Amino acid sequence: MQTNVIDIRTEYETALNEASRLIKNGAVVGIPTETVYGLAANALDEEAVKKIYIAKGRPSDNPLIVHISDISELSPLVREIPEKVKIMAEKFWPGPLTMIMKKSDLIPLKTSGGLDTVAIRMPSNEYARAIIRKCGVPLAAPSANLSGSPSPTNAKYVYDDMNGRIPLIIDGGASKIGVESTVITFVTEIPTVLRPGGVTLEEIRDTIGETRLADAVLHELKEGETAASPGMKYKHYAPHADITILKGSLEKFIEYTKGKDFFALVFEGEEKYFKNAVTYGKPLDGVSEANRLFDALRELDERNAKTVYARCPELDGVGLAVYNRLIRSAGFNIIEL
Ligand code: TXA
Ligand code: MG
């Protein structure tokens, strides 16, 4: 299959027409969002959704996020809308927030990975919403990487992973946020964050009060433990290199790595201390770290890094999302200095 790329910033009408024509015909199209690029298909069409799993090489029990362009599209997709979901939608939609509710019969089990719940998000990226609107159906879209690789934050990275696997990629420029949306479930008695992202735990607690953080956000699932979110049990975001996170000061990091042959994954301003270094954002600035992390991981691959030592982000605000992705890409290899 030939993979075409259309830049929606310069060819708006062509991009919208082609994307919607293909999606209405049951194909999968790479689309930009503010978090990361997605692999979009008609969420209500089982056959179309199957193609997403094939293109990604994704296990079919890992459910997809359903994207909408307007709040009015929500109610047909779910059994009921909990009060707290309404409050959250009012404050954070459109944006990097995915909310899980009981699904309606409209959502095929293929889309929900066999679960009786569905994850819904309204992206803030204008191009994404225009594409959904033009298709006239909600779009199921996981991140547009091959299963196990870092999520793509621009059209080139989508092309690297999806060339020959999908007919079209819509280029809308670099993703603004750089890590995937916050996923929160309202099916549990107390709302529970399953994946941290651009909407922070602090902001959520300020908005709806008591909110849990799922154990698997910060730790590896133990043998036999069931995942609240199926995505938690798979290896994720991993470049080819072996990454080890060194928790502690920059001084201790320098001392620990002295004389070793490695790539340093460090914060801006720290690269001068190392022979081979890739930076991922500013120290103590989760937003800028999120914006750079996946690009930095792909850059390490491009530079053929084998052994990587990484600086550890702070765990508050968006930093929690950065830490959550980094520990997975490091296979939970963490050394306390
Ligand atoms: O920012 C994002 O969310 C991007 C863009 C494209 O919108 N999408 C994305 O999708 O990250 P994906 O498929 O890579 O990640 C979805 C995560 C997975 O970990 C999945 O297991 C979880 O959400 N998930 C989806 N539906 C769920 C459900 N019903 N119950 C529990 N977890 C669910
Ligand atoms: Mg993903």
Side-chain angles (χ1 to χ4, degrees), residues 123-144:
S124 63
N125 182 292
E126 296 290 346
Y127 302 131
R129 287 212 312 283
I131 294 167
I132 301 166
R133 219 176 295 123
K134 183 93 183 173
C135 290
V137 288
L139 300 185
S143 50

Side-chain angles (χ1 to χ4, degrees), residues 31 40 116 165:
I31 65 165
D116 65 352
R165 292 173 168 263

Side-chain angles (χ1 to χ4, degrees), residues 36 56 58 62 142-145 149 151 180 195 236-237:
V36 300
K56 243 185 107 74
R58 180 178 184 131
N62 194 357
S143 50
N145 51 290
S149 312
S151 298
E180 308 87 341
R195 180 177 75 183
H236 259 111
Y237 320 116

Side-chain angles (χ1 to χ4, degrees), residues 82-102:
E83 206 46 50
K84 286 180 182 168
V85 168
K86 290 181 192 155
I87 298 167
M88 289 287 284
E90 177 76 31
K91 177 131 184 215
F92 298 112
W93 273 0
L97 175 74
T98 297
M99 297 194 274
I100 296 174
M101 290 157 264
K102 291 275 182 197

Side-chain angles (χ1 to χ4, degrees), residues 19 23 29-33 36-40 128 131-132 139 141 144 168-170:
I23 289 172
V29 174
I31 65 165
T33 89
V36 300
Y37 274 69
L39 282 183
I131 294 167
I132 301 166
L139 300 185
L168 178 65
I169 297 165
I170 300 298

